[in-house]
Amino acid sequence: MARFGMVIDTRKCVGCMDCVIACKTENDVPDGHCRDWIGQRLQGTMPDLRLTITSERCNHCDRPPCVTCCPTGASHVHDFGKVVLVDHDKCIGCKACLAACPYDARFVHPDGYADKCTFCIHRVEKGLAPACVSVCPTHSMYFGDLDDPDSEVSRLIASRRHFVLKPDAGTQPRIFYLE
Amino acid sequence: MLELVTTRHNPLVDPSLHIWGWEIPVYLFLGGWVAGCMVLSGWLMRRGRAPGQGSVAYVLPWVGIVLLSLGMGALFLDLEHKLYVWRMYLTLRPTSPMSWGGWILILVYPVMALAALAAIPRDLLSGWPSLAAFAERLRAGRSLRLLGTVSIASGIALGIYTGILLSSLGARPLWASAVLGPLFLVSGLSTGAAFAHMIARDPEEESSLLRADILFLVTELALIALFLIGHLTSGAQHAHAVALLLGGPYTAVFWVFVVGLGIVVPLVIQSLMASHRIGHTVIAPLLVMAGGLALRIVIVAAGQYSHWIVP
């Protein structure tokens, strides 16, 4: 059984936001909302500064608090790839999942349900990469099965220094950033 | 021209800027108040207060039904996908306090309805003999004591779950405290007791409810102290979150409206009332009730403002 995850090379990412635009186009994300976005982390003191650009989205956590707090089961872990999804017809719009996510990855769709990144599961089921990964002009994004030790994502994590966002939140996120 | 949003500086994108509006604090306040009404009504029933003696024990369930309906109305207004609300009742999810809450709300109605039925005078039920006979059985001593026990238990469940609901959302560090459940329960008890001694007509009952409210207010102060100490002595995330109430933007409203006008001032007034130095006044119970609402407003607003600090 696959367990999908993403690896993003911060040394290659230039913050062009192509991933954000591709997601909006592919998923018809409503105006004013984002399923993914670009973060910038500035570290150090002048003049020794280091800027890290991070393409961020739902981390499809192994311990997803949005799933445990959902009163109807709308937020669930999908069988295919253990991707965290929202069943629109079960969501009552209570917003508990918005409050439970340490990454603030969710928003309320104008149609009333909680919405967020799906890892473009509709594309992945057809053997395609998520839209954000497929358009990255610097090829900084990788998508694959974390449980397969021979997958590209597993090999990158095994061989390169990396970090995840807010590890102390204890959610075991599945997006890894290469340093 | 449409500007595409590609960063997070937008309240539509970043939910930590706004998740719940006025509806949730109002619901939590009304739910706590109803919990207080149920516990106190059950307590008076177990102490042998029978219907028809002018006891507030049989007014509180009627008030509770109205308040809970208003609270559930506020809850419904908050839902973004309103037509799907019935989905809540197709499943019980043990990991979700919101799911427990949905079922608790449904289960407390019949308990309050039974207590309310016992309070209806006999002659008003003369047209419905079977209902009148059932009400008569409810008024028997053993049934009333059992109803009192069930009322206390369901009131505690209702009161405590509202706090656990917030404390289970660990991404908001201010809410991540086990004290929040007991704090909301005791705040609900003090709101219920304040309301009950404000409307009580029996002097003995008024006096015992007043003393109960003083006990609840002192307990609430102690729990607020524990809540603050617990956060301050935890890790950086918690200390950062509780700074919102200790020097941050919610400091004034918390200490003035919740602690000062909502607890300390009415505590002093009610202590003077209990020792008969001043006469009974509605100001103190009204302040307690306003303080209960202020507590929910501040905790909900400051809680969703608090967030997991980077990285």
Side-chain angles (χ1 to χ4, degrees), chain A residues 1-4 77-83 144-149 174:
Chain A
M1 186 73 77
R3 188 171 62 93
F4 291 135
V77 179
H78 191 48
D79 288 339
F80 181 54
K82 301 278 192 293
V83 176
D145 181 5
L146 297 171
D147 279 350
D148 175 5
R174 296 212 301 260

Side-chain angles (χ1 to χ4, degrees), chain A residues 101-160:
Chain A
C101 176
Y103 304 102
D104 293 338
R106 291 175 170 236
F107 61 90
V108 176
H109 191 281
D111 288 343
Y113 51 82
D115 201 11
K116 66 170 196 71
C117 162
T118 61
F119 266 170
C120 281
I121 194 74
H122 60 286
R123 287 174 58 92
V124 176
E125 281 170 341
K126 292 179 193 159
L128 300 168
C132 53
V133 175
S134 70
V135 299
C136 180
T138 60
H139 299 288
S140 70
M141 302 173 72
Y142 306 86
F143 179 81
D145 181 5
L146 297 171
D147 279 350
D148 175 5
D150 293 327
S151 69
E152 193 172 26
V153 285
S154 295
R155 281 189 281 115
L156 282 167
I157 293 168
S159 61
R160 296 270 303 270

Side-chain angles (χ1 to χ4, degrees), chain B residues 220-277:
Chain B
E220 196 179 343
L221 272 182
L223 287 172
I224 286 176
L226 288 174
F227 175 73
L228 298 176
I229 292 168
H231 275 307
L232 280 172
T233 53
S234 295
Q237 309 289 353
H238 293 269
H240 183 259
V242 82
L244 292 169
L245 306 176
L246 300 171
Y250 293 91
T251 307
V253 71
F254 177 71
W255 290 98
V256 172
F257 291 104
V258 179
V259 178
L261 293 173
I263 302 178
V264 175
V265 171
L267 183 59
V268 172
I269 297 174
Q270 293 192 158
S271 300
L272 294 172
M273 281 158 62
S275 58
H276 303 293
R277 288 185 199 153

Side-chain angles (χ1 to χ4, degrees), chain A residues 47 54 57 64 66 81 85-86 95 98 100 102 105 114 119 142 151 175-176:
Chain A
T54 47
R57 58 194 51 64
C66 52
L85 297 179
V86 181
K95 294 168 280 191
L98 275 74
F119 266 170
Y142 306 86
S151 69
I175 296 184
F176 299 84

